Amino acid sequence: MSVPPEGVAGTNTERTFIAIKPDGVQRGLIGNIIGRFETKGFKLVAMKVMTPTLEQAQGHYADLSSKKFFGGLCSYFSSGPICAMVWEGKGAIKGGRTLLGATNPADSLPGTIRGDLCIDVGRNICHGSDGPDSAKHEINFWFTPKELAAYDDHSAEWVYEDTAKPAVAASGERAFPKEETDGRDIKFGNPKHTTMDNDVCLGKTAPAFENVEQIKVGAWANNPLPKAGQPYVVIFWGQYHKPGYPFLPLYNKLAKKYGDKVCFVTVSCDPAIEGYGAKFLEDPGKKYSSAFPVDALTFVHATKQTLTDAYAGAMRDTCAPVHSFVVDGKGTIVWHQDHSEIGATVPLYIGQVETQIDHMLAGEPLESNGDREIVEVDDTPDEPAGKVDEGMLDALCGGAAGDDY
């Protein structure tokens, strides 16, 4: 089974994120630093040179946002090109930090990168993940799964005594068994509602959560919005759209399966936050929420419908209740599902959503449904009508030749 993007901590596939900062790039130290990691025995699985935006720098250092030096740190990190890398190997996180040396070069031992190559703490050349959680965040923040190379290192047996690959734990039992859902032919459903590989919204950046207000009622008051770098699912619904209610508890089941790995946000298309959406949650004795559990979902109301319109723009179609979008940790729409075909096919489509989320979390390619057939529309202007035969006109009108109509 494929290794997840962040690797498996404590095994030969443990991964860490290492960045050579603008000072290291400008001083031409990329080759020197790569050489030290390779000489150690770590395997390079991803690398790119890029100039981060200020927003990317702030996202990368989000855990330091309360520090006084946060602003200056982000400004400097985004001041020029960096070399972002992912290194793999047993003890890569701790070993990578050891190779870098102490944060302050004055405290770094000779032989370390900072001990040998820099002087000032504000120009300390490199950044390295400090633990499994930060490695996971940083790797998924800077790289997509497709940018991480999976290959066997020919020298592995000379680096490790045990080269057996670890078994990667699956995401858990399926919420919707394949034999009940996408084990059936996807064509069982209406082709109009089947997601195809060339659907226009796939691969686009997901609209930001702007002009939304969280519905903080009862048990839902503390359900979170997506964190930076966290995959999420956006589900559009409406209290007025009663036929669509059954699909909410099905997504609730998925939310409980994935826990904090994936955030599930339901966006109310109802007119006002004080209205239908809140009452749906507030009055379990009378509303459908008593029959359809939705306790693991986060509820928000799209004020002015701007979020709804933004997703409609991404898909070039109406975004109505019972549409859902799967967004990866980079903020890219990787799957869209139209559940308008309410009924027996709802579990079918949600089953495929589950399959695609499993693939996304495992860093594997998503399943393919093929491309949607594009129907060519003939927009060639019609030929001008020919001259009408006067005799035929007379016959059609029932009049005699020469009559004036």
Side-chain angles (χ1 to χ4, degrees):
M1 189 175 290
S2 299
V3 174
E6 65 275 9
V8 180
T11 73
N12 297 357
T13 64
E14 181 174 303
R15 290 176 176 175
T16 188
F17 175 79
I18 300 293
I20 303 176
K21 299 178 183 179
D23 52 325
V25 174
Q26 293 290 350
R27 292 176 57 194
L29 298 177
I30 293 177
N32 185 316
I33 294 169
I34 289 177
R36 293 179 184 233
F37 277 82
E38 287 186 324
T39 302
K40 174 71 175 178
F42 293 134
K43 181 173 72 175
L44 182 65
V45 297
M47 181 176 73
K48 58 185 174 184
V49 176
M50 59 178 293
T51 300
T53 64
L54 180 59
E55 290 73 21
Q56 286 175 316
Q58 291 169 340
H60 172 76
Y61 285 116
D63 61 320
L64 299 175
S65 59
S66 62
K67 303 294 184 181
K68 293 181 179 180
F69 57 80
F70 178 70
L73 176 64
C74 294
S75 295
Y76 174 66
F77 196 75
S78 59
S79 65
I82 66 168
C83 180
M85 299 176 287
V86 177
W87 289 91
E88 179 182 291
K90 187 175 181 179
I93 297 172
K94 182 178 179 180
R97 298 280 291 186
T98 300
L99 286 174
L100 296 187
T103 301
N104 189 339
D107 299 328
S108 297
L109 295 174
T112 64
I113 292 171
R114 289 168 176 156
D116 289 352
L117 303 176
C118 57
I119 298 173
D120 194 324
V121 68
R123 297 292 185 268
N124 64 358
I125 297 179
C126 288
H127 165 87
S129 302
D130 61 7
D133 290 340
S134 63
K136 180 178 180 179
H137 164 68
E138 291 164 358
I139 291 170
N140 287 285
F141 186 84
W142 292 105
F143 293 94
T144 65
K146 291 182 179 180
E147 292 177 308
L148 301 168
Y151 65 98
D152 293 325
D153 190 341
H154 69 90
S155 63
E157 62 182 286
W158 301 109
V159 176
Y160 302 105
E161 183 178 4
D162 182 6
T163 58
K165 295 182 179 179
V168 179
S171 58
E173 295 290 331
R174 281 186 62 88
F176 301 96
K178 284 197 172 186
E179 61 270 19
E180 297 179 10
T181 56
D182 54 307
R184 297 177 286 168
D185 189 343
I186 196 69
K187 293 180 181 178
F188 174 82
N190 188 328
K192 175 182 176 182
H193 305 304
T194 302
T195 304
M196 308 303 284
D197 299 352
N198 61 340
D199 285 358
V200 294
C201 66
L202 301 183
K204 290 187 176 180
T205 300
F209 282 99
E210 297 177 346
N211 294 316
V212 297
E213 187 170 355
Q214 192 167 352
I215 304 176
K216 295 188 175 183
V217 176
W220 295 269
N222 297 318
N223 287 358
L225 287 170
K227 301 176 183 177
Q230 181 186 28
Y232 59 93
V233 179
V234 179
I235 309 153
F236 288 90
W237 75 291
Q239 195 273 347
Y240 61 85
H241 190 47
K242 292 180 176 63
Y245 281 5
F247 87 121
L248 283 179
L250 298 184
Y251 273 105
N252 195 65
K253 194 173 181 180
L254 286 185
K256 289 187 173 181
K257 168 188 173 177
Y258 294 112
D260 60 3
K261 292 181 180 179
V262 182
C263 183
F264 286 75
V265 181
T266 60
V267 180
S268 169
C269 298
D270 292 312
I273 190 170
E274 305 84 16
Y276 300 118
K279 290 179 180 178
F280 176 86
L281 302 176
E282 282 182 317
D283 194 357
K286 298 180 181 179
K287 300 298 178 181
Y288 283 85
S289 59
S290 61
F292 299 106
V294 289
D295 54 293
L297 306 177
T298 298
F299 281 80
V300 302
H301 177 258
T303 59
K304 302 180 181 179
Q305 301 299 322
T306 51
L307 186 64
T308 308
D309 293 342
Y311 272 94
M315 60 187 289
R316 299 181 189 172
D317 201 351
T318 302
C319 183
V322 302
H323 280 267
S324 64
F325 298 83
V326 179
V327 181
D328 66 13
K330 297 278 288 183
T332 302
I333 299 173
V334 297
W335 195 252
H336 159 248
Q337 192 59 64
D338 178 358
H339 295 287
S340 298
E341 196 178 3
I342 297 298
T345 54
V346 171
L348 169 70
Y349 292 133
I350 287 188
Q352 193 178 37
V353 170
E354 180 181 8
T355 295
Q356 304 297 41
I357 294 176
D358 283 343
H359 284 305
M360 174 185 69
L361 294 179
E364 300 168 346
L366 272 61
E367 288 188 355
S368 171
N369 288 339
D371 287 343
R372 191 179 304 281
E373 183 180 354
I374 305 299
V375 180
E376 298 291 340
V377 178
D378 184 5
D379 55 0
T380 305
D382 294 333
E383 292 292 331
K387 184 177 180 181
V388 178
D389 181 85
E390 291 185 2
M392 179 65 70
L393 182 61
D394 290 338
L396 290 172
C397 295
D403 288 348
D404 186 9
Y405 294 94

